[in-house]
Amino acid sequence: MNTASKLFVISAPSGAGKTTLVKSLIKGNENIKCSTSYTTRAPRINEKEGEDYFFVSKEEFVKLKNSNKFIEHAKVFNNFYATSREEIEKILFQGAHAILEIDWQGARQVRQSIPECVSIFILPPSKEELRERLINRATDDAKTIELRITEANRDMLQWSDFDYCIINDDLETAKKELESIFSNE
């Protein structure tokens, strides 16, 4: 691993703006790479294989997990998610900073195995705003949105375990805060 490169772990409840913030951070910055997670869930309409996720069957996921191919893994909304150990090692070896955009369960595993990682939690400004964001992104039915809200309540309790916390009330302000963390680290 290149000693100048760092591993950043970014977590948030669904709908808090994590993906939007990460995409704005890596845009135009060749020294920051976001890993592509594996998942057993079906792709959403706008998602691309190998770019947004590696979509695999549950059987393939279990095979990879049992072969120690993942640095972390978690079950979220009845689907499995994980990060490739090889991909993270490759990014860091090349001297770039690696971002893991993962849930708090996976973040806990990474912090335990790689304590020098920098962990960041993104919070929505309120539960009401989170509900509006989930409704407005129009990717889930009402039942799934309610499940996401219930899970978000539990997820948001995890923020104090992270090195940094950003409240995504204003997107531009949150972007600047995230950029500042990367600059300082």
Side-chain angles (χ1 to χ4, degrees), residues 72-91:
E72 61 81 28
H73 57 86
K75 186 175 185 181
V76 182
F77 302 116
N78 294 320
N79 293 296
F80 294 101
Y81 293 83
T83 303
S84 163
R85 179 180 312 282
E86 184 178 324
E87 183 178 2
I88 294 306
E89 290 172 352
K90 180 179 172 185
I91 292 169

Side-chain angles (χ1 to χ4, degrees), residues 77-170:
F77 302 116
N78 294 320
N79 293 296
F80 294 101
Y81 293 83
T83 303
S84 163
R85 179 180 312 282
E86 184 178 324
E87 183 178 2
I88 294 306
E89 290 172 352
K90 180 179 172 185
I91 292 169
L92 295 173
F93 182 77
Q94 293 171 348
H97 301 298
I99 295 178
L100 303 185
E101 187 183 331
I102 57 178
D103 85 306
W104 68 268
Q105 298 170 79
R108 177 179 287 163
Q109 292 172 43
V110 174
R111 288 192 317 269
Q112 289 172 345
S113 64
I114 308 170
E116 65 274 13
C117 73
V118 178
S119 60
I120 304 163
F121 198 86
I122 310 295
L123 282 171
S126 68
K127 292 176 186 177
E128 295 77 23
E129 176 64 23
L130 181 64
R131 179 182 300 282
E132 286 300 312
R133 290 177 185 179
L134 289 171
I135 291 168
N136 291 337
R137 78 179 186 186
T139 57
D140 298 310
D141 60 29
K143 184 179 176 183
T144 303
I145 289 172
E146 289 310 310
L147 176 63
R148 290 189 186 281
I149 294 295
T150 300
E151 288 294 318
N153 290 328
R154 187 179 66 147
D155 294 351
M156 289 187 281
L157 296 173
Q158 309 303 319
W159 72 269
S160 63
D161 292 337
F162 288 73
D163 298 321
Y164 297 94
C165 182
I166 296 172
I167 298 174
N168 187 10
D169 188 12
D170 175 75

Side-chain angles (χ1 to χ4, degrees), residues 57-74:
S57 67
K58 286 185 180 179
E59 294 78 16
E60 180 66 14
F61 188 95
V62 169
K63 181 180 169 186
L64 291 166
K65 181 180 143 230
N66 291 341
S67 298
N68 200 30
K69 298 292 184 185
F70 299 139
I71 194 169
E72 61 81 28
H73 57 86

Side-chain angles (χ1 to χ4, degrees), residues 24-47:
S24 77
L25 181 69
I26 62 176
K27 185 178 179 181
N29 191 333
E30 295 178 10
N31 198 36
I32 302 173
K33 308 281 185 199
C34 190
S35 73
T36 303
S37 294
Y38 283 77
T39 186
T40 59
R41 76 162 171 75
R44 294 180 181 142
I45 291 173
N46 60 339
E47 292 177 326

